[in-house]
Amino acid sequence: MTIPDMQVDESSCAAFQRTLERVGQRWSGAILFAAVGGARRFGEYRRAVEGISDRMLALRLKELERDGFIVREVIPSTPVQVLYRPTPAGAELIAALQPLEEWGNTHLPELVERETNAGR
């Protein structure tokens, strides 16, 4: 693998760090992956993101909407339907994170083993 020559300045470092902090917040990445995977309604997100509480899901959806990664659409019907879908920026972010997820699936077991051995 070749890494292109790039200069890392304070601005690009700050943007990178801020993005990681936002998406690295507990449940945010999983919710975005669920959105790209086709989840639309609150219950679909709840089923797709195992272990998340309703309160936390609602909070994270609001934050992801605020940050421009998810759009909330209210459909006036009886009962009212609320749909959440990724924005183009949210879908682009998940596409960029896909290799990181694959890397984690490959290397996480060895990282956990090292942590365990370091604690002995």
Side-chain angles (χ1 to χ4, degrees):
M1 170 187 230
T2 304
I3 298 175
D5 291 335
M6 74 184 244
Q7 185 177 12
V8 179
D9 60 15
E10 188 175 339
S11 175
S12 62
C13 185
F16 177 75
Q17 186 63 38
R18 200 148 182 217
T19 302
L20 283 181
E21 288 170 1
R22 185 70 213 103
V23 178
Q25 192 170 24
R26 185 164 172 94
W27 304 113
S28 293
I31 292 167
L32 284 172
F33 276 104
V36 172
R40 296 290 179 262
R41 299 179 69 166
F42 190 90
E44 292 172 325
Y45 282 96
R46 189 178 338 109
R47 284 187 295 279
V49 182
E50 255 182 65
I52 193 168
S53 70
D54 287 355
R55 187 181 77 70
M56 184 56 68
L57 177 57
L59 176 65
R60 290 294 183 255
L61 284 168
K62 285 179 188 173
E63 291 170 348
L64 291 166
E65 180 185 10
R66 177 200 66 208
D67 292 342
F69 299 130
I70 295 275
V71 65
R72 180 179 187 264
E73 179 184 0
V74 178
I75 298 174
S77 60
T78 306
V80 172
Q81 291 185 43
V82 179
L83 305 178
Y84 300 89
R85 60 182 165 75
T87 62
E92 186 179 341
L93 178 60
I94 287 301
L97 291 173
Q98 203 82 43
L100 185 60
E101 178 201 21
E102 292 166 9
W103 186 94
N105 287 333
T106 300
H107 297 284
L108 187 60
E110 65 193 58
L111 292 174
V112 170
E113 184 178 330
R114 285 187 191 125
E115 287 175 357
T116 303
N117 290 337
R120 290 182 183 170

